Every structure is written in structure tokens, then in C-alpha cells.
Amino acid sequence: MMAGSSTIRTVITGVGVISPIGIGNDQFWKSLSSGRSGVGYLRSFPASDLPSRLAAEITNFNPTEFLRDRKFLKVMSRDIQLGVSAAKLAMLDCRLQAGGIDPERLGVVYGAGRMSTTPEELAEAVSEVTDEITLMSRWGEDSMGKVAPLWLLKQLPNMPACHISIDYNAQGPNNTITSRDSSALLALAEATRVIERGAADAMIVGACGSSISPVDLTKLSLYEGLSRRKDDPQRAIRPFDIERDGTVVGEGAAAFVLESYEHAVARGAEIYAEVIGFGAGCDGKGYNNGSGGRGLVAALNSALRRANIRPDEVGHMNAHGKSTQRDDLVEARAFHKVFGDYAEQLPVVALKSYFGNFDAGSGAVELAGSVLALKHGCLPATLNYEHPDPRCRLNVIHDGPHPLKGSVAVSVNRTSVGQSAAAILRTL
């Protein structure tokens, strides 16, 4: 088949999840299907003086079980550890053996967000620079020498893709998407284009994130809208519920192996789903959401056109569902603009109710939820949807897993300033 041919189909053959509700596909799906939340009180560090004491933490993660060489830990932030580990699980799941593909035909596209340093890493260097008059000279002459030489490698968002490409000798196209919450789906779209134009036979795709630090939690409380509920952490995140009061920080990663359909079939791979559509858009109106979700409308319409399906052919919507008053309402209005009357019938699930929000990574873990829902033929319930917001008017699945309606899934993500992405999957 000629490179660049639009008839090259892209399929998902591997999935790997590291999340607060389970490590590995089986544990992750078991938690989703049983309605088990991963939200609780912060345990990683004292939280009494922080704006929120809630978080969705991964408590049983040992990176040395996944890394090729434990010496790399010293240049890996928590985000990077999670992302590389999820990629290993996806590669094991797809059974693409070493030597089973030309290295130049295997690529990586990964999404990443903020990788914040901890105050402790720079405390010694900063402590000696207290006089504003001599600030620059003292920093350059004395303090810089007390910063670890490889410190920056733990903060660079392109490092997950770098480590993964080294692990699997992936010498094909390599890229990193840094578009906050929308990064995972944009990475999926980029990888699909790479395969469609014949530049690779397989791509490792995913995203990672961890917001479990005092610095991140404090920053996010200023503009993201964190839940202030203290009595019952597992009921804090309430997407599209009228009593929602904010999201909860979390951490996690998910990765996928994408292949051309011909390559997957030739090696006898199990196929989860085909990527049939994707789209992107941006509101361009900032935090006030003045455009009413124009970017998300554009992303959905573009994805539907590319997939060549009608809105009423979509079986379920995996919503961004951040659980803030502002963002959920804008998202719901965008759904109504795209789907019309069908918006009130379309089954909707919001998986942040299980594991919170963690920048680029949460979109990838949500997408994994839809892939596994297609595999198992049922849609998990959204947690804590008890008092529907009449302004949203959505069919939020909330009373236990439901049999899937159709074989087409749409997953969307949207940043606080309106950068939006949508992806459409279909089982074969």
C-alpha cells in the first residue's frame, strides 16, 4: 500500500494502565465495573495547611518492577515513572516481541503536562540567596553548584517519550504533546496520522501526569476549582451533579499500542478497536468560557466528519467531566450543540469521578476506560451523580454498569482555557 494512502486503517492492539483504582487492565476494569473510587485523604505528605486534603493517589506502585534499569530512577519524576511503566504494560499486552518490528517502523507519541519540582530539590541552593542586591551574582557563583547536574531531566515533558523510545529501540517518529488535559487524545491523533501516511507500522501512544505534591495542589487550588468536601472523600467528585464543587488532584498514566490494520492482522494480534475519527479545536476565550465551548464543538464535529458517522450512531460519550460548575456546564452545552436532541439520550460516563484529574494523564486513563468498555460490552457507572443538574440535561449513566449501546465510543477532553480534543473508536 502506498505511503500516505487514506485507506490505511489504524487499530489499537495494546493497553496499559497505571491508576489510583488499579495497576494493569484487569484491576483497573474490576474497579470501574464495581464502582470502586480511588479518592481519599492525602497520605503522601501532611495536608492540614493545604487548600484541600483530598487526592486520588496510587499507593501500590513500585517503579522498579517496570523499568529497564533502576539507575534511571534518579532522572525520573513521578510522572515519568508512571508513563514509562504504562508503556511497558501496553507492550506486554500487545505481544509485540523484540525484533518483531523494524525499529525504524516503531515510533512514540506521548502527552505530558507540568512536571513540578519539589522545594526540597532546590532548597539548599536557594537558601543562600536571600539578599536581593547580590541575588544574581550569588546564584551564579555559589548556588548553581548545589543543584544536581541532571536535575532538569526530571522536569522535561519530552522525557517519557525519550525513555520509552530507548526501552523499545523505537527509531521511528517521536513527539511529545504538551496541551494539558487534551494531550492524550492529540497524541492519539498524531500517531494515527503517522501510521496513515505510511511512516510507521506501530506507535506507542499515551500520556502521564501526577499532581500529588504540595506545590501542585496549592497552584491548582487558585484556578482549577478543587473540591472542599471533607466529610466523605469518595463522594467529592460529582460530574454534572448540581452539587458539584470542584475536582480532586490525582495521578496516573495509560498507554496504547497503535498499528496499521494490515500489520496487526499479519502478526495475529488481538484488536481492541479501530480509530476512526479525531478532531481538535480551541475556544480562544480564556478562563471565562465566553465562547460556550466552541473549541469542543469544533473537535467533535471534525471527528464525526472524519469517522463518516451520524451523531446518533455514537454508542457512548466518555466526557471530560471535571466536576466544576463552570467546566461541566460548558461541556454539556457543547454536547447539545453537536448532538441536538440526541444529547439527552446519548449514554455519558465521566470517569474522573473514580480517579480525579491529573493533567495530561487523566485523558489517557479515561480513554483506556472506553477501550475496555468496548471490549467487555458494558459501560461503567459515573460515581456520585445523585442530583442531576437541569442545566446540563445529559443521560449520565450512574446506577451500575449498563450494556453498551452500539460499537462506537467517543472520548473528549478540554482544558480550562478551551483547548479541546475528541477521538472516536469502533470495534471491528
Side-chain angles (χ1 to χ4, degrees):
M1 190 171 294
M2 295 179 59
S5 170
S6 61
T7 60
I8 296 179
R9 301 164 64 189
T10 302
V11 296
I12 297 173
T13 58
V15 181
V17 182
I18 308 282
S19 81
I21 60 172
I23 294 176
N25 298 343
D26 292 342
Q27 287 301 315
F28 176 64
W29 179 253
K30 183 178 180 181
S31 293
L32 287 180
S33 57
S34 63
R36 186 181 76 84
S37 171
V39 180
Y41 292 113
L42 266 167
R43 291 186 286 178
S44 299
F45 47 83
S48 58
D49 295 330
L50 293 174
S52 173
R53 296 170 52 205
L54 307 182
E57 299 172 279
I58 302 173
T59 58
N60 56 342
F61 172 64
N62 180 2
T64 61
E65 296 178 4
F66 303 93
L67 301 185
R68 181 172 58 89
D69 191 333
R70 64 187 306 159
K71 72 181 181 182
F72 287 116
L73 273 175
K74 64 183 179 183
V75 292
M76 285 184 171
S77 65
R78 176 78 163 183
D79 314 58
I80 299 171
Q81 295 172 22
L82 295 169
V84 173
S85 299
K88 179 172 183 177
L89 290 177
M91 288 295 283
L92 289 172
D93 186 48
C94 79
R95 296 184 174 89
L96 185 58
Q97 303 296 330
I101 185 172
D102 178 351
E104 294 185 0
R105 303 290 295 171
L106 175 64
V108 182
V109 183
Y110 233 69
R114 297 179 307 267
M115 294 185 183
S116 297
T117 185
T118 61
E120 292 78 12
E121 291 180 290
L122 299 176
E124 184 180 2
V126 173
S127 64
E128 297 189 5
V129 186
T130 56
D131 185 348
E132 292 186 9
I133 297 177
T134 60
L135 177 64
M136 295 306 296
S137 59
R138 288 285 304 278
W139 177 260
E141 295 171 4
D142 302 323
S143 295
M144 280 290 288
K146 296 181 179 180
V147 178
L150 300 180
W151 164 79
L152 186 61
L153 294 182
K154 299 174 69 174
Q155 273 69 55
L156 296 176
N158 65 312
M159 291 311 295
C162 292
H163 284 287
I164 293 166
S165 64
I166 293 170
D167 282 353
Y168 300 102
N169 193 26
Q171 299 177 27
N174 188 297
N175 203 355
T176 296
I177 306 296
T178 54
S179 186
R180 298 290 306 277
D181 310 62
S182 59
S183 300
L185 298 185
L186 294 177
L188 181 81
E190 166 106 1
T192 301
R193 291 190 185 100
V194 169
I195 292 174
E196 286 181 344
R197 68 174 181 259
D201 294 320
M203 298 289 292
I204 304 170
V205 182
C208 55
S210 177
S211 301
I212 309 296
S213 82
V215 174
D216 279 339
L217 199 152
T218 302
K219 287 192 301 185
L220 291 171
S221 71
L222 299 176
Y223 61 88
E224 287 283 14
L226 298 182
S227 175
R228 301 304 174 96
R229 294 177 185 271
K230 301 178 181 179
D231 54 338
D232 189 352
Q234 295 192 351
R235 298 178 66 240
I237 309 179
R238 314 176 68 86
F240 305 108
D241 186 283
I242 198 169
E243 295 184 359
R244 63 189 183 277
D245 74 329
T247 190
V248 171
V249 296
E251 59 180 350
F256 312 87
V257 177
L258 271 58
E259 298 182 56
S260 71
Y261 175 77
E262 292 80 1
H263 187 270
V265 170
R267 69 179 191 88
E270 177 187 356
I271 295 175
Y272 284 94
E274 180 180 2
V275 181
I276 62 172
F278 48 81
C282 187
D283 291 8
K285 292 291 184 179
Y287 282 96
N288 64 4
N289 283 304
S291 73
R294 182 184 302 162
L296 183 54
V297 171
L300 281 166
N301 282 332
S302 177
L304 289 167
R305 284 194 302 269
R306 184 180 177 88
N308 193 28
I309 62 173
R310 301 186 312 273
D312 62 3
E313 293 181 85
V314 174
H316 83 263
M317 170 66 69
N318 195 332
H320 186 61
K322 197 162 72 174
S323 187
T324 68
Q325 286 286 334
R326 176 192 63 193
D327 294 294
D328 285 9
L329 182 57
V330 170
E331 184 176 9
R333 288 174 175 171
F335 293 163
H336 280 274
K337 290 178 182 178
V338 174
F339 293 95
D341 292 340
Y342 183 57
E344 297 189 40
Q345 305 172 40
L346 172 63
V348 173
V349 63
L351 297 183
K352 286 185 179 66
S353 57
Y354 289 81
F355 44 70
N357 190 35
F358 37 99
D359 206 276
S362 50
V365 177
E366 288 163 5
L367 181 64
S370 273
V371 173
L372 295 177
L374 290 173
K375 175 184 176 180
H376 292 282
C378 69
L379 189 63
T382 300
L383 302 182
N384 309 319
Y385 185 74
E386 300 167 355
H387 307 287
D389 187 339
R391 300 170 299 172
C392 294
R393 306 190 327 277
L394 298 176
N395 178 25
V396 178
I397 302 302
H398 61 282
D399 54 352
H402 278 218
L404 278 188
K405 177 183 177 183
S407 59
V408 177
V410 177
S411 189
V412 298
N413 287 117
R414 179 180 182 274
T415 72
S416 297
V417 294
Q419 296 165 308
S420 304
I424 304 181
L425 310 178
R426 179 173 59 196
T427 53
L428 298 182

